[in-house]
């Protein structure tokens, strides 16, 4: 196998797994960075994939993971450590001479945002720009696949909840985020670009519930709950306080209708229209029912 020149971080997660699936399907050679070899199973038998151990908390492992790599996809979870972890990766990338960094950011990233996730993403974007390294920033809206986190609740009670009010959100399918990332990692022309990625329509959570009802063949209701109730629900579900508070800031941002606009970036980059929520509800019906 040709030594891969592309490194994928966050490969075991929602976006990264889809990105590596698409890279493999198209025959691109790539390296995935995993924290534990137990998690390497999806790539072990793939001739185009190489697995390396790496942890954002361990700078020397990041340098090892980046050896010989020209382009990298940077994704880490939005935890309290995210900014420091991504800056550590950037420093390792600078030391190993990475040419082009594709960073998964978030729609409306801004250092002055009231939303902590949008502030840290903006701070990392700025640091990347300051290195002079080539970069592409992908700023997606809320992931459709996030609703899979409610599948047990939906199966048990026929409902899911949040504090989004009646605000429409131009939710995006992670398969489209992965498609865009694949283009940015494997072709020229995306350097120095910031792409805001949305789905093809903005839907309220109630409208998403109606689409899920149609697809699953059983009624799914959306229950809007006061912010404090959602916050407590997140804490009870095991989210650390920093992240739960951040998600509440995200939902306040959605309910202010700040994430309702549409962009044409997915179609411009991939040549195909973004997947609709109806496509998502159809393709994931079995995952919701399982
Ligand atoms: N959810 C949304 O609606 C949304 C919308 C816009 C932007 N975003 C952005 O998307 C990102 C999250 O993407 P996602 O949902 O695909 O993430 P995810 O499913 O939570 O996956 C996180 C990945 O990071 C890896 N990871 C965690 N800690 C690590 C460490 N210390 N060292 C190395 N790897 C580590 C995980 O590996 P393990 O398997 O080892 O844990 C996993 O592969 C965040 O930056 C968020 O701001 C999310």
């Amino acid at each position: 196998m040709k030594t891969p020149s592309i490194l994928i971080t966050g490969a075991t997660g929602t976006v990264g797994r889809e990105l590596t699936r698409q890279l493999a399907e198209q025959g691109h050679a790539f390296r995935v960075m995993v924290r534990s070899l137990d998690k390497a199973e999806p790539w072990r038998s793939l001739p185009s994939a190489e697995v390396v151990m790496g942890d954002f908390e361990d700078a020397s492992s990041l340098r090892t993971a980046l050896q010989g790599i020209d382009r990298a996809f940077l994704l880490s979870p939005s935890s309290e450590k995210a900014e420091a972890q991504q800056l550590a990766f950037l420093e390792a990338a600078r030391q190993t001479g990475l040419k082009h960094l594709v960073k998964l950011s978030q729609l409306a990233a801004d250092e002055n945002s009231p939303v902590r996730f949008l502030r840290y993403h903006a701070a990392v974007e700025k640091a990347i720009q300051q290195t002079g390294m080539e970069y592409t920033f992908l700023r997606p809206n809320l992931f459709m696949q996030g609703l899979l986190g409610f599948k047990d609740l939906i199966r048990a009670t026929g409902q899911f909840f949040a504090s989004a009010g009646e605000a429409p959100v131009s939710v995006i399918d992670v398969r489209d985020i992965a498609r865009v990332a694949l283009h940015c990692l494997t072709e020229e022309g995306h350097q120095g670009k910031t792409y805001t990625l949305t789905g093809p329509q903005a839907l309220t959570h109630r409208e998403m519930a109606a689409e899920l009802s149609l697809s699953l063949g059983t009624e799914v209701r959306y229950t809007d709950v006061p912010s404090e109730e959602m916050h407590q629900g997140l804490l009870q579900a095991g989210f650390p306080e920093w992240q739960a508070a951040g998600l509440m800031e995200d939902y306040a941002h959605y309910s202010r209708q700040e994430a309702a606009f549409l962009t044409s970036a997915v179609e411009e980059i991939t040549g195909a229209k973004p997947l609709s929520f109806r496509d998502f509800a159809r393709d994931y019906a079995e995952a919701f029912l399982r």
Side-chain angles (χ1 to χ4, degrees):
M1 185 188 79
K2 200 171 135 240
T3 305
S5 61
I6 299 173
L7 177 72
I8 308 299
T9 66
T12 57
T14 313
V15 175
R17 186 171 291 252
E18 181 57 31
L19 174 56
T20 62
R21 193 191 65 72
Q22 293 185 18
L23 283 165
E25 200 175 77
Q26 296 197 15
H28 295 288
F30 60 93
R31 182 184 293 168
V32 294
M33 184 181 97
V34 291
R35 281 197 282 183
S36 134
L37 287 180
D38 306 345
K39 298 197 172 179
E41 203 44 49
W43 305 284
R44 242 187 219 122
S45 57
L46 283 180
S48 59
E50 189 178 282
V51 176
V52 65
M53 291 270 281
D55 192 313
F56 291 122
E57 296 292 317
D58 174 355
S60 88
S61 76
L62 297 177
R63 286 191 295 274
T64 305
L66 280 156
Q67 280 310 321
I69 292 292
D70 294 330
R71 289 182 174 177
F73 178 71
L74 174 58
L75 179 154
S76 75
S78 279
S79 75
E80 199 163 359
K81 295 178 174 169
E83 182 173 337
Q85 290 182 336
Q86 295 201 1
L87 293 178
F89 187 85
L90 178 62
E91 178 53 22
R94 209 185 50 73
Q95 291 174 13
T96 54
L98 186 79
K99 294 193 176 79
H100 182 186
L101 183 55
V102 177
K103 171 181 156 50
L104 198 282
S105 178
Q106 187 174 338
L107 177 138
D110 180 347
E111 274 190 304
N112 298 312
S113 172
V115 184
R116 65 193 66 191
F117 303 154
L118 301 183
R119 289 197 299 275
Y120 96 72
H121 277 305
V124 175
E125 288 182 2
K126 189 173 168 185
I128 294 170
Q129 284 172 319
Q130 284 170 346
T131 61
M133 184 184 291
E134 285 173 349
Y135 65 86
T136 310
F137 301 146
L138 306 184
R139 294 179 170 182
N141 204 350
L142 182 65
F143 300 170
M144 294 178 189
Q145 277 78 357
L147 284 176
L148 288 165
F150 287 107
K151 69 184 167 78
D152 293 342
L153 187 71
I154 291 174
R155 242 195 340 265
T157 68
Q159 62 169 339
F160 65 95
F161 64 88
S163 309
E166 294 301 323
V169 182
S170 52
V171 284
I172 182 164
D173 192 306
V174 298
R175 292 173 292 181
D176 282 323
I177 302 171
R179 261 188 275 277
V180 167
L182 183 146
H183 279 268
C184 296
L185 289 163
T186 59
E187 65 190 30
E188 295 304 315
H190 301 289
Q191 290 88 344
K193 301 277 173 62
T194 298
Y195 295 128
T196 295
L197 307 174
T198 72
Q201 56 185 157
L203 293 175
T204 64
H205 279 56
R206 219 173 289 288
E207 289 168 333
M208 293 183 228
E211 287 291 346
L212 281 177
S213 303
L214 276 177
S215 168
L216 305 190
T218 175
E219 194 192 359
V220 177
R221 291 183 315 282
Y222 167 66
T223 305
D224 198 64
V225 294
S227 305
E228 193 40 42
E229 200 174 311
M230 181 174 167
H231 193 169
Q232 286 310 319
L234 290 168
L235 294 175
Q236 275 161 23
F239 284 87
E241 168 54 27
W242 188 91
Q243 207 170 350
L247 287 167
M248 296 319 302
E249 291 164 2
D250 254 347
Y251 273 81
H253 155 75
Y254 302 139
S255 59
R256 290 193 298 272
Q257 309 214 6
E258 292 168 359
F261 62 92
L262 305 179
T263 70
S264 51
V266 170
E267 186 169 0
E268 281 163 18
I269 297 159
T270 68
K273 291 203 180 309
L275 294 160
S276 65
F277 192 84
R278 186 161 292 183
D279 296 325
F280 162 75
R282 181 199 59 222
D283 296 347
Y284 286 80
E286 222 178 284
F288 276 101
L289 294 169
R290 213 185 298 133

